[in-house]
Amino acid sequence: ISLVVSNTVYPYYCLFSCHVLQESLLSSASGYSNYRGILNWCVVMLVVSINIFFTSSDRYGILVDPIQVVSLFLKDPYNWPASCLIIEHCVNNVFFVFFPVALQGTISETTGTFLYLVNLTTLLFFPSATVLTLTSITPVGGAFALCVYTILFMKLYSYKDVNMWCREIRHTKARTLTPVHTHVSYPGNLTHRDIYYFVFAPTLCYELNFPRSPRIRKSFLLRRLFEMLFFIQLQIGLVQQWMVPTIQNSMKPFQDMDFSRMIERMLKLAVPNHLIWLIFFYWFFHSSMNFVAELMRFGDREFYQDWWNSETVTYFWSNWNIPVHKWCLRHFYKPLMGRGVNKWVAQTAIFLVSAFFHEYLVSVPLKMFRLWAFMGMMSQIPLAWFVGRFLRGNYGNAAVWISLIIGQPIAVLMYVHDFYVLHYVSQS
């Protein structure tokens, strides 16, 4: 089904919602029970993780210090540049995107398009310029601010697209294609309450009518809150006790280019890095996003699918981060396919954009450009081809797990080494 407007074909995905009322897979109410991939992960991790944590505690003592985390975000307790950057400019950018959209009909389509393109471009370049020029912003604070701006960029891009589709449908009087259960129709959605609900909702894809849960479950909300507090403390403890000593001991082998010791340090880092990544996944995609969704009565809780059962690399990237996947599918991949772009070219373009944002979120806060994250993401293309062509079943699933366990510590060590050389060795 498609709609032809001014010789342009708008396929059915532009007209219907992409959200439904559903629970997250790891919630007991979902009824999900296929954890075969997690069992494979347990076997892989068991081989390499015995006694490592206890050895670190015996060798270095207890290094956990929650107060020290504050220094990662702030250099001066009376100067909060990252927080000011997020609060002030995000509020302004939401207004400046809402303003040209709300004025459609009183200003030309070209003028409105120009205004929101300027605003969306500013969303990416202004915060990065601020992070690069202000010495008071720490790398962690800068990365957090840029993550917020990137999320806002994707949300406002979706907001612009959906309202543009609504205008095209409205102009052609295509009322028969409007969903049956619509409660709000264009332009009745152009309110501050609507856009701010979308800004804070745990999704990147805008809709005029989001699925809403009937009530806020207080017991569910408290469980998620407890998980958020517990797992963030656990991540901090593991980073300080396990990862930091391993990274510090890895600098000399990298300086001496001792490849055997470099590989040994990388394997030692792989275990804590991967464990912390898994805890972060549960903390962010299940605990935190479900907490926000429950608080806002946002009904679509599909923030992830069973990526742990991935037998191909493409299946993993399509299922571990559903909000980003839905956004790429709806606002990037399908529009490219609708313009006749080859499927392989469209998939490569998505990896290219993803690689850019990965590098953007790492290099700008560190104030150095090494392209390790960019190359790591682009290397997923040949890896996806190899795994999809030559490996099947448990072999493919094991290959995906190994790439996750080994690939991330390589990038971490590369960036830490370059940051150490740039900021400490060069100064001394």
Side-chain angles (χ1 to χ4, degrees):
I1 303 173
S2 60
L3 174 68
V4 179
V5 180
S6 302
N7 297 325
T8 303
V9 178
Y10 291 86
Y12 69 93
Y13 64 84
C14 298
L15 310 175
F16 297 96
S17 66
C18 62
H19 295 287
V20 295
L21 187 68
Q22 55 189 328
E23 294 289 343
S24 297
L25 286 186
L26 295 180
S27 297
S28 57
S30 69
Y32 182 80
S33 60
N34 184 9
Y35 300 104
R36 175 176 55 85
I38 292 184
L39 293 177
N40 287 334
W41 166 78
C42 290
V43 173
V44 174
M45 292 296 292
L46 192 61
V47 174
V48 292
S49 63
I50 298 175
N51 292 328
I52 294 181
F53 181 78
F54 299 103
T55 301
S56 174
S57 300
D58 293 338
R59 179 178 299 179
Y60 304 108
I62 303 300
L63 303 176
V64 179
D65 182 8
I67 305 300
Q68 189 183 23
V69 179
V70 178
S71 65
L72 297 177
F73 290 89
L74 300 173
K75 287 184 178 180
D76 181 358
Y78 300 101
N79 188 11
W80 296 26
S83 300
C84 294
L85 181 65
I86 292 172
I87 295 172
E88 179 180 359
H89 207 61
C90 284
V91 172
N92 291 337
N93 273 278
V94 170
F95 172 76
F96 282 118
V97 163
F98 174 78
F99 181 71
V101 173
L103 288 181
Q104 293 296 334
T106 60
I107 61 175
S108 66
E109 189 76 24
T110 303
T111 304
T113 301
F114 174 76
L115 288 174
Y116 75 67
L117 284 179
V118 170
N119 185 72
L120 292 177
T121 304
T122 305
L123 267 175
L124 292 181
F125 287 100
F126 177 81
S128 58
T130 304
V131 170
L132 288 172
T133 54
L134 284 183
T135 57
S136 57
I137 295 184
T138 64
V140 176
F144 180 73
L146 291 181
C147 282
V148 172
Y149 272 86
T150 301
I151 292 171
L152 185 61
F153 169 85
M154 298 175 75
K155 281 175 174 281
L156 296 185
Y157 189 94
S158 178
Y159 185 79
K160 175 270 303 180
D161 262 4
V162 172
N163 281 287
M164 181 186 69
W165 297 336
C166 289
R167 287 195 302 275
E168 296 290 352
I169 296 171
R170 189 165 177 256
H171 291 163
T172 56
K173 309 297 183 183
R175 302 185 184 278
T176 57
L177 293 178
T178 303
V180 177
H181 302 290
T182 297
H183 302 290
V184 176
S185 59
Y186 182 87
N189 64 306
L190 300 180
T191 64
H192 287 95
R193 179 178 180 178
D194 180 83
I195 190 172
Y196 276 107
Y197 178 87
F198 171 55
V199 166
F200 290 101
T203 180
L204 299 175
C205 292
Y206 176 71
E207 288 183 14
L208 274 67
N209 300 281
F210 289 106
R212 304 292 294 273
S213 54
R215 62 183 179 86
I216 297 177
R217 298 168 293 179
K218 294 181 180 178
S219 60
F220 181 90
L221 198 67
L222 291 175
R223 286 199 303 271
R224 299 291 84 80
L225 179 61
F226 173 78
E227 290 174 355
M228 289 168 61
L229 297 175
F230 173 76
F231 284 118
I232 191 63
Q233 293 296 326
L234 181 60
Q235 289 177 80
I236 292 171
L238 289 175
V239 168
Q240 292 179 326
Q241 183 67 47
W242 202 351
M243 279 192 69
V244 172
T246 304
I247 292 174
Q248 289 174 341
N249 293 334
S250 302
M251 293 301 98
K252 185 128 185 2
F254 270 81
Q255 287 180 309
D256 298 339
M257 296 304 291
D258 187 342
F259 290 103
S260 61
R261 292 184 62 202
M262 287 167 58
I263 294 174
E264 183 261 338
R265 297 297 179 186
M266 182 193 69
L267 293 176
K268 287 188 68 174
L269 182 63
V271 178
N273 177 84
H274 187 64
L275 180 60
I276 291 167
W277 179 79
L278 287 174
I279 295 173
F280 170 81
F281 165 79
Y282 187 89
W283 171 79
F284 184 78
F285 287 99
H286 187 73
S287 301
S288 301
M289 296 190 75
N290 269 290
F291 177 83
V292 175
E294 191 69 25
L295 199 61
M296 302 184 68
R297 293 179 50 225
F298 184 80
D300 187 0
R301 309 296 174 87
E302 190 187 39
F303 307 124
Y304 54 86
Q305 291 183 358
D306 61 335
W307 58 264
W308 45 85
N309 293 327
S310 301
E311 297 178 0
T312 62
V313 175
T314 52
Y315 186 88
F316 167 78
W317 286 109
S318 299
N319 291 275
W320 94 278
N321 188 340
I322 293 298
V324 170
H325 172 68
K326 282 183 177 179
W327 188 91
C328 291
L329 197 66
R330 188 193 199 197
H331 297 286
F332 197 79
Y333 179 77
K334 287 186 176 179
L336 286 178
M337 295 290 289
R339 290 178 172 83
V341 176
N342 179 271
K343 179 180 179 180
W344 175 254
V345 175
Q347 291 176 344
T348 303
I350 290 179
F351 273 105
L352 188 65
V353 172
S354 179
F356 164 78
F357 279 107
H358 276 77
E359 189 64 40
Y360 172 80
L361 295 174
V362 176
S363 290
V364 175
L366 293 177
K367 299 180 182 180
M368 62 179 193
F369 301 92
R370 296 295 186 272
L371 298 180
W372 299 120
F374 183 88
M375 291 188 292
M377 279 302 302
M378 294 308 294
S379 67
Q380 297 296 303
I381 297 176
L383 178 64
W385 175 84
F386 176 82
V387 173
R389 185 176 179 85
F390 296 105
L391 300 176
R392 293 289 186 275
N394 286 337
Y395 295 104
N397 183 250
V400 172
W401 277 114
I402 291 172
S403 68
L404 293 174
I405 295 171
I406 300 299
Q408 291 178 2
I410 293 177
V412 169
L413 285 177
M414 290 296 185
Y415 278 109
V416 171
H417 170 263
D418 291 349
F419 187 81
Y420 174 79
V421 170
L422 184 65
H423 290 84
Y424 295 98
V425 176
S426 60
Q427 292 179 3
S428 61

